Amino acid sequence: MPELGLILLAAGRGTRFGAEPKLLQPLAGRPLVRHAAEAAIASGLGPVVAVLGAHAGRVGAALDGLDLARVVNPAYADGLATSLQAGLAALPAGVGGALVLLGDMPRVTARHLQDLADAFRRAEPAPAAVVPIHAGVRGNPVLLNLRLLAPALAGLSGDQGAGRLLAGRADVLECAMDAGVRLDVDTPDGLAALR
């Protein structure tokens, strides 16, 4: 199986949340972004790269003490595509697959990540991606096969991730998972519901 890397996207402004950075809001005694980072590291699947942008200093400080690399995306305001590309560029050479996590999804666990990786390893032929699905709707994180998708990922622009790229492909493997793969925090009410 190709070596995997993990990309934690934590560069967004989170404007729907309000004035304070949502990734720094406390949940169970830890900043929101730290939940996703700890899951990535606990998965043991490969090196973790956190992509920072808006509030880079403060969000980066929330990740202090964790075994991950940090990269600041100076073009974060241009959209999600730039952060995904910055994360991909920061992965070690030779990584064949990337698990992409969102910093505002605190219910994603190491088990979710390991299950996506296991599905990828078992699939023949290798899929372009493995995506979690819950109640008929795709969620996150996603595992991207860089051997198949690297050129298309390099061509993304604006505020789009890999979702639109994967939507029309027949070689995407869907993996049924629990509601944690659909639960992101966009508003104070959404965070309050998790508490």
Side-chain angles (χ1 to χ4, degrees):
M1 190 204 79
E3 181 184 358
L4 297 175
L6 297 93
I7 300 170
L8 173 63
L9 297 178
R13 290 172 286 187
T15 52
R16 286 181 285 174
F17 195 87
E20 280 299 304
K22 73 173 175 180
L23 294 181
L24 299 178
Q25 299 306 305
L27 178 66
R30 303 190 312 283
L32 191 61
V33 69
R34 199 165 172 104
H35 291 263
E38 289 173 350
I41 294 163
S43 75
L45 293 169
V48 179
V49 173
V51 182
L52 309 175
H55 318 290
R58 293 173 66 193
V59 174
L63 301 174
D64 281 351
L66 297 180
D67 183 19
L68 50 74
R70 303 172 205 200
V71 59
V72 176
N73 172 20
Y76 71 89
D78 292 339
L80 179 64
T82 63
S83 291
L84 177 57
Q85 291 158 348
L88 290 168
L91 289 177
V95 168
L99 277 151
V100 182
L101 299 87
L102 306 181
D104 63 356
M105 296 188 69
R107 294 296 184 246
V108 167
T109 66
R111 177 82 279 166
H112 290 116
L113 299 167
Q114 291 162 347
D115 287 349
L116 291 168
D118 288 345
F120 185 62
R121 288 183 186 114
R122 290 192 306 265
E124 284 293 335
V130 183
V131 299
I133 187 167
H134 178 76
V137 180
R138 287 181 175 180
N140 282 292
V142 298
L143 193 160
L144 303 173
N145 183 339
L146 301 181
R147 299 191 196 294
L148 295 178
L149 295 177
L153 291 167
L156 290 175
S157 63
D159 201 26
Q160 62 174 321
R164 189 176 307 161
L165 178 69
L166 301 178
R169 295 187 67 113
D171 56 352
V172 174
L173 177 62
E174 293 181 338
C175 206
M177 293 191 169
D178 64 48
V181 300
R182 298 261 339 276
L183 189 68
D184 62 339
V185 175
D186 287 325
T187 64
D189 286 345
L191 183 58
L194 288 181
R195 292 177 175 148

